Amino acid sequence: MEKHNRPVVIVGAGPVGLAAAAHLVERGIEPLVLEAGASAATAVREWAHVRLFSPWAEVTDPAAEKLLAPTGWTRPDGTTYPTGGDWAERYLQPLADVLGDKVRYGATVTGVARAGRDRIVDSGREEQPFTVQIETADGGEERITARAVIDASGTWSVPGPMGACGLPARGEKSACDHLAYRVPDLKDPAVRARYAGRRTAVVGSGASAFTALALLADLAGEEAGTHAVWILRRGIGDATYGGGEADQLPARGALGLRAKAAVEKGHASAVTGFRTEAVERDGDRLVLVAEDGRRLDAVDEVIVLTGFRPDLSFLSELRLGLDERLQAPTALAPLIDPNAHSCGTVYPHGVKELSHPEQDVYLVGMKSYGRAPTFLAMTGYEQVRSITAALAGDHEAAERVELTLPETGVCGGAGLFDEPDTAQGDEGGGCCAAPATLQIGGSRTSPLPS
């Protein structure tokens, strides 16, 4: 009983972390959200210029809306598409404000362990609460005792490198002054000046790369000499540009078509089968070298959009069951493997698939998917609904998990910010926002409708 009087610690005050807190409050369980930044949705604010793939009606959590309703908050027009900045200011920060002192800012989690037990000790392990070590904004250290830990810290802080083997390419770190790992905000004059009239390599093949190509193509139409070189590790095939008109998230499909148009109009040139081995200096410019020895003509800038990966360093004293390839929970990994699945073919999942050998520890949201880019925001909301039901002892509700997700296309990266009523992107960091989905009751074992 003493253990259960302690809070459930949630790492990260982003969309899924705050939704977890809202569901816990609804269940009468005390949450404590630890956010490293100075406000809610710190990562979302870093892609404030990006417009989501999905409208307001599909990017808010039901339990969160119940918390917000007494404050006079009303959901914005459900048919319009928010930017990341809109999402943070008009929904996520108000939600954090309602939660009040249940959210702590400037609290960076540096370690999680069982109280008095390192990872090798079995005796009495499950009876012990968790110890969460944090570093405060002023450099101090604290320890918090928790009954359970929900890690919703995402993957935004650890972008993938340029090197095809998963390690930084030789010379990549020393060339950092000419490299970026995010979709640029070309409405910022300083950022625009960095790419205008220059030759830029874009490394990656997902929605983030599509977005960068589309933005650079627009810039090329306005600034002479602007050109993008699209670096693809594979060849160009039917699926290179995503789902196109067949994508059930139309804005995501349109983004791939815009990238295709950038190549066809000559604003971008594609280099296929190029697996980067090294980055070399050529004066103030860079030369990319492939594993097969090919050398590209020099470029002025490189935008690396090769996905994200989870930071597991502060969880090293916990017994996690992670897939050796994706770094996702072992039971979840086969359901989300990007070699076999797009967003729409991921089976419904909840507490069962998200559990680890260490009881009462959960990775949720984008972090639960490890390196897989197939995550959707509404999936995260359903994850925490199931987990909080289990923590409350409502196992029937925890098992009742099923979603219908949009098929076609591969999710990942940040999306396009253009005219509000025409072009939308996905949420930064591989999160495609909530789809036009239906949540239906029933068994999790049932396959998704085709």
Side-chain angles (χ1 to χ4, degrees):
M1 288 301 297
E2 181 183 356
K3 175 182 172 183
H4 283 76
N5 288 333
R6 297 184 172 95
V8 173
V9 164
I10 300 165
V11 186
V16 178
L18 292 174
H23 281 276
L24 287 168
V25 169
E26 188 174 54
R27 290 278 182 177
I29 300 173
E30 183 71 13
L32 177 59
V33 183
L34 301 176
E35 167 58 47
S39 63
T42 302
V44 174
R45 293 175 191 274
E46 291 191 21
W47 47 270
H49 60 292
V50 173
R51 194 167 296 280
L52 277 65
F53 280 145
S54 300
W56 273 111
E58 298 166 352
V59 296
T60 57
D61 176 81
E65 289 194 30
K66 290 178 183 177
L67 270 186
L68 286 164
T71 70
W73 179 88
T74 56
R75 186 172 61 194
D77 181 354
T79 64
T80 62
Y81 294 79
T83 63
D86 295 333
W87 205 22
E89 292 298 331
R90 300 176 67 184
Y91 167 63
L92 297 171
Q93 190 62 57
L95 176 56
D97 292 343
V98 168
L99 289 165
D101 60 7
K102 294 177 174 59
V103 181
R104 283 191 60 181
Y105 302 111
T108 301
V109 175
T110 58
V112 181
R114 287 283 185 180
R117 307 287 191 276
D118 66 22
R119 67 182 294 161
I120 69 172
V121 177
D122 291 333
S123 178
R125 186 174 191 86
E126 290 190 359
E127 288 70 41
Q128 293 297 105
F130 292 95
T131 292
V132 181
Q133 185 160 301
I134 65 171
E135 181 177 309
T136 59
D138 60 4
E141 289 185 347
E142 293 182 26
R143 284 189 175 180
I144 296 169
T145 305
R147 63 170 283 193
V149 176
I150 298 174
D151 182 359
S153 59
T155 58
W156 180 254
S157 64
V158 191
M162 192 188 324
C165 65
L167 300 174
R170 180 167 42 86
E172 181 172 349
K173 292 183 179 180
S174 62
C176 63
D177 54 332
H178 289 283
L179 269 61
Y181 294 85
R182 305 286 190 269
V183 173
D185 179 6
L186 296 184
K187 293 188 181 295
D188 181 324
V191 176
R192 181 184 177 92
R194 179 175 179 177
Y195 299 100
R198 312 190 82 189
R199 182 178 167 88
T200 300
V202 177
V203 184
S205 59
S208 296
F210 294 165
T211 302
L213 290 169
L215 292 173
L216 291 171
D218 290 343
L219 186 61
E222 301 168 3
E223 299 282 352
T226 304
H227 188 77
V229 182
W230 187 17
I231 310 299
L232 289 157
R233 293 173 180 171
R234 301 177 182 177
I236 292 180
D238 293 340
T240 299
Y241 298 100
E245 294 179 356
D247 200 319
Q248 291 187 24
L249 289 177
R252 185 178 63 196
L255 185 58
L257 296 177
R258 288 197 62 186
K260 183 177 182 181
V263 174
E264 292 175 346
K265 292 178 181 178
H267 295 315
S269 51
V271 180
T272 60
F274 193 96
R275 306 180 71 81
T276 308
E277 170 71 19
V279 184
E280 297 179 358
R281 291 273 187 175
D282 181 8
D284 289 334
R285 309 183 83 196
L286 301 177
V287 174
L288 305 188
V289 183
E291 292 176 345
D292 60 9
R294 279 185 292 165
R295 303 170 64 87
L296 298 185
D297 292 340
V299 297
D300 300 291
E301 300 288 335
V302 181
I303 301 174
V304 184
L305 301 168
T306 54
F308 296 86
R309 52 188 61 177
D311 176 8
L312 300 168
S313 60
F314 61 89
L315 304 175
S316 61
E317 289 305 315
L318 298 178
R319 298 175 176 181
L320 301 181
L322 297 175
D323 179 73
E324 67 276 8
R325 294 176 303 136
L326 297 183
Q327 296 178 297
T330 306
L332 177 61
L335 308 181
I336 63 174
D337 185 350
N339 294 299
H341 295 284
S342 70
C343 299
T345 62
V346 172
Y347 279 74
H349 60 276
V351 66
K352 180 179 178 181
E353 292 80 7
L354 295 167
S355 294
H356 294 274
E358 193 79 71
Q359 185 178 340
D360 294 334
V361 170
Y362 304 98
L363 310 185
V364 299
M366 189 65 212
K367 191 162 187 176
S368 71
Y369 275 40
R371 298 192 183 196
T374 47
F375 178 75
L376 294 168
M378 192 168 281
T379 302
Y381 293 157
E382 184 65 0
Q383 287 178 342
V384 296
R385 188 207 63 76
S386 174
I387 288 168
T388 55
L391 290 173
D394 187 349
H395 300 293
E396 181 182 357
E399 286 291 313
R400 194 172 58 249
V401 181
E402 190 164 339
L403 292 173
T404 301
L405 300 174
E407 299 178 0
T408 313
V410 175
C411 313
L416 189 64
F417 175 39
D418 199 80
E419 295 303 317
D421 58 348
T422 56
Q424 297 82 34
D426 61 2
E427 305 157 46
C431 187
C432 291
T437 63
L438 258 174
Q439 178 180 335
I440 52 180
S443 169
R444 188 171 64 236
T445 60
S446 301
L448 289 171
S450 59

